[in-house]
Amino acid sequence: MTLPSRRLSKAGSRYAAVRESLRERAAPYLGIDPRALGAFRIALALFLLGDLLVYRLPAVRAFYTDEGVLPRSTLAEIYPQLESLSIHAVSGSAWVQTGLLAVAVGAAVCFLVGYRTRASTGVSLVLLASLYARNPYVINGGNTILVVFLFISLFLPLDARCAPGAGRRSGRTDRNDVDRRGADEREGVAPRVCSVGTAVTLLTLVSIYAANAVSKYRSDAWMSGVAVPRIFQLEEFIVGVGPFVSEHAVVLATINWLWIALLSASALLIAATGWLRAAVALAFVSAHLGMAVTMRLGVFPFVMASVLLLFLPPGVWDLVEAATSKLHGASRPAERPYRSDGGNATEADRSDGGKATETASPIPSRVRRGIRVGATLLLAGSFLALVWWQAAGVGLVDLPASESTGDLSEVSWSFFAPNPPDASNWYVVRGTLESGDSIDMRDGEAVTYDRPPDAAETYPSVLWHQFGFRMKNAGESRYRPVAAYACERSDRSLASVTVFRVEQSVDPNGPVGEPEPEAQIRTAC
């Protein structure tokens, strides 16, 4: 019995040595600085709170109750699976929806401060996915990316920094990890967390950029340099300094080619290290912030910028810590050691020379090992599914016929690719008074279908814009709750309401032709 046990012990030691060697080789490319994990958690939580409080909460009644534009009966008719899976579909009451939002906000706050991080991440993920499923017409690719990275966050030690429990996560103490971390610090090498979770996180973002690059290369509009100039003629998307930028054709054409070049260089986020990697990551951050100040894209640019924090190398975080230390006039606080795979390692302060001890755990080691293997397989399988979905989205693989159609396929991660829209759209809701006169329900003035001075202003909020964009090809039955909502919200005596979608073609130089209104539905009030 002794010899087999000894052979197993030696085999386990060899496996551990090989695993650690691979981790050390991969760490510069697929590892993440613990400070980056803390910054990512804080940024992602802030944008999650922004989505809940700034976008969703003010629009609860309009988009998430039976009195709004998508009652549960309509959701069940169009997307029965989403209606059956969404927790928010259990009730059409505004009070219930507000209560669920309050729980989601509470979980997001815990996620922000790092309290019970994995539990708060899981609750945030479930409630956010449920909220998005309750009304898939008010989400875009940025929202689905937020859900994906919340899911991946379950496999990351996001409380490694800037959290009450930093360094106190449960796990087995490893004397070698303590010694290795000390050696790294003496050699001036900043330790990184490197695991399957960190690898999947980084590779997921790079796969999004790579798929976008492929879609751009397959697009005549992008490869001829007219895509961005045409996008900036879609006035319903353009906000902030966007109208000013849209007047400079040379600048827009330059942005077109710079974005393609940057997407083409996205592999450097993995292949490069040090300051080159930092430069590429910061270039992407700058591009996304540029999108945020010129276009109405919801949380997309902010979520992408927060994920890019994970690519910043230790040198950048050293500079950040040095700057914050000078700002606060305090030295850097002592930090607890941790394992390179995301666990923690503490050296016991004992009289026997400080030898490490194992933390007692009520879970048997075989069960813990099985959980780790299962989590790894789940994460790897999810990543492969995402890559396959993106490859199908850019035409590299074929989707089954049952999955290649449907409105949900519009919630892609390509954003204006392979071909940006060639027409601007806005809505006119005409209310017919009992006297027979007609008014524009938006401002109470006379009805006109002319191109508005600012098409973005015809949408009251980001969610209304997303809803209008997703509804442009919907049938009459989907517009019926919209017309009913307009009737109920009006303070005028209306006989009927008619919803028009107005479309006008655009090219890189501006509008083409005359606006063409098309009645979507007319209903009596």
Side-chain angles (χ1 to χ4, degrees):
M1 295 298 291
T2 304
L3 291 178
S5 298
R6 188 173 299 171
R7 283 196 295 268
L8 287 173
S9 177
K10 290 181 178 180
S13 298
R14 285 196 296 270
Y15 169 74
V18 171
R19 182 181 61 184
E20 188 57 38
S21 176
L22 291 175
R23 182 178 292 130
E24 289 178 358
R25 292 174 180 272
Y29 307 99
L30 299 175
I32 301 175
D33 190 293
R35 295 164 292 186
L37 289 169
F40 165 71
R41 188 198 75 241
I42 293 171
L44 197 67
L46 287 174
F47 299 137
L48 172 59
L49 284 169
D51 188 43
L52 295 173
L53 295 176
V54 177
Y55 295 149
R56 311 290 162 177
L57 183 59
V60 163
R61 187 176 298 277
F63 294 114
Y64 298 107
T65 71
D66 288 344
E67 301 174 7
V69 295
L70 189 69
R72 289 176 297 160
S73 58
T74 304
L75 177 66
E77 176 186 349
I78 303 169
Y79 300 120
Q81 291 184 339
L82 295 183
E83 194 273 339
S84 61
L85 292 175
S86 175
I87 299 172
H88 292 73
V90 299
S91 172
S93 166
W95 286 105
V96 173
Q97 300 302 317
T98 303
L100 288 172
L101 271 176
V103 175
V105 168
V109 170
C110 292
F111 182 47
L112 172 66
V113 301
Y115 177 74
R116 302 287 183 182
T117 307
R118 186 160 284 122
S120 61
T121 304
V123 173
S124 295
L125 171 64
V126 170
L127 290 179
L128 191 68
S130 171
L131 182 67
Y132 290 167
R134 172 60 184 86
N135 192 337
Y137 286 96
V138 287
I139 64 174
N140 63 14
N143 300 112
T144 56
I145 290 174
L146 176 58
V147 170
V148 166
F149 280 100
L150 274 176
F151 169 73
I152 296 175
S153 294
L154 292 170
F155 304 88
L156 296 174
L158 295 186
D159 54 355
R161 292 292 185 273
C162 306
R168 294 197 298 271
R169 295 181 307 277
S170 61
R172 185 174 62 84
T173 305
D174 191 338
R175 171 82 177 182
N176 293 330
D177 289 322
V178 179
D179 294 339
R180 182 175 61 254
R181 184 177 188 270
D184 286 342
E185 290 178 345
R186 287 192 297 271
E187 295 174 5
V189 178
R192 291 183 172 120
V193 176
C194 186
S195 65
V196 174
T198 64
V200 167
T201 303
L202 301 183
L203 289 172
T204 295
L205 187 69
V206 173
S207 72
I208 294 174
Y209 288 138
N212 269 266
V214 172
S215 66
K216 301 294 191 289
Y217 284 126
R218 297 164 69 93
S219 167
D220 292 337
W222 283 95
M223 297 313 295
S224 61
V226 302
V228 171
R230 194 163 84 194
I231 291 169
F232 272 77
Q233 298 303 323
L234 304 173
E235 292 184 356
E236 63 269 30
F237 283 97
I238 307 306
V239 295
V241 299
F244 171 76
V245 177
S246 66
E247 298 175 358
H248 299 80
V250 175
V251 173
L252 295 175
T254 302
I255 293 174
N256 186 104
W257 294 114
L258 286 176
W259 182 235
I260 292 176
L262 191 57
L263 290 173
S264 303
S266 59
L268 292 176
L269 288 170
I270 294 293
T273 59
W275 293 108
L276 176 58
R277 184 178 194 170
V280 176
L282 292 175
F284 272 107
V285 170
S286 300
H288 287 301
L289 294 181
M291 297 176 191
V293 299
T294 56
M295 304 182 68
R296 178 180 270 174
L297 297 175
V299 297
F300 168 72
F302 305 108
V303 172
M304 299 299 280
S306 66
V307 181
L308 285 162
L309 295 175
L310 299 173
F311 290 87
L312 297 180
V316 173
W317 298 106
D318 291 340
L319 292 177
V320 172
E321 283 194 338
T324 54
S325 295
K326 290 180 179 179
L327 183 64
H328 294 92
S331 59
R332 175 180 170 180
E335 296 170 346
R336 294 176 181 267
Y338 53 88
R339 294 206 309 264
S340 58
D341 63 352
N344 71 299
T346 57
E347 186 173 11
D349 186 11
R350 294 172 35 153
S351 59
D352 58 357
K355 292 183 180 179
T357 61
E358 291 191 5
T359 303
S361 173
I363 304 176
S365 60
R366 290 184 179 180
V367 175
R368 293 201 304 270
R369 190 178 301 112
I371 292 174
R372 286 197 298 269
V373 171
T376 300
L377 292 176
L378 173 62
L379 185 59
S382 300
F383 173 69
L384 293 176
L386 283 174
V387 171
W388 177 84
W389 180 73
Q390 292 182 84
V394 298
L396 297 180
V397 299
D398 294 329
L399 279 171
S402 60
E403 298 182 21
S404 59
T405 59
D407 293 330
L408 286 180
S409 62
E410 294 180 7
V411 187
S412 72
W413 295 347
S414 296
F415 283 98
F416 305 116
N419 294 304
D422 58 3
S424 183
N425 293 268
W426 62 93
Y427 289 84
V428 174
V429 181
R430 185 183 70 191
T432 302
L433 303 176
E434 292 181 350
S435 62
D437 296 330
S438 295
I439 60 170
D440 189 323
M441 297 289 290
R442 183 173 66 88
D443 55 15
E445 302 295 331
V447 177
T448 176
Y449 305 106
D450 296 336
R451 186 180 182 91
D454 186 353
E457 289 188 353
T458 63
Y459 298 94
S461 67
V462 170
L463 294 193
W464 279 107
H465 174 248
Q466 291 175 351
F467 183 78
F469 183 75
R470 295 289 310 285
M471 285 283 288
K472 63 182 181 180
N473 297 319
E476 179 178 323
S477 62
R478 303 189 196 182
Y479 278 99
R480 188 168 290 109
V482 179
Y485 179 78
C487 285
E488 294 174 1
R489 298 293 291 178
S490 177
D491 57 357
R492 308 289 291 271
S493 298
L494 298 174
S496 65
V497 162
T498 307
V499 179
F500 292 88
R501 182 174 65 87
V502 188
E503 180 175 287
Q504 185 176 25
S505 299
V506 299
D507 64 17
N509 299 315
V512 177
E514 295 297 323
E516 299 179 1
E518 180 181 356
Q520 303 299 313
I521 190 172
R522 183 181 184 276
T523 184
C525 292

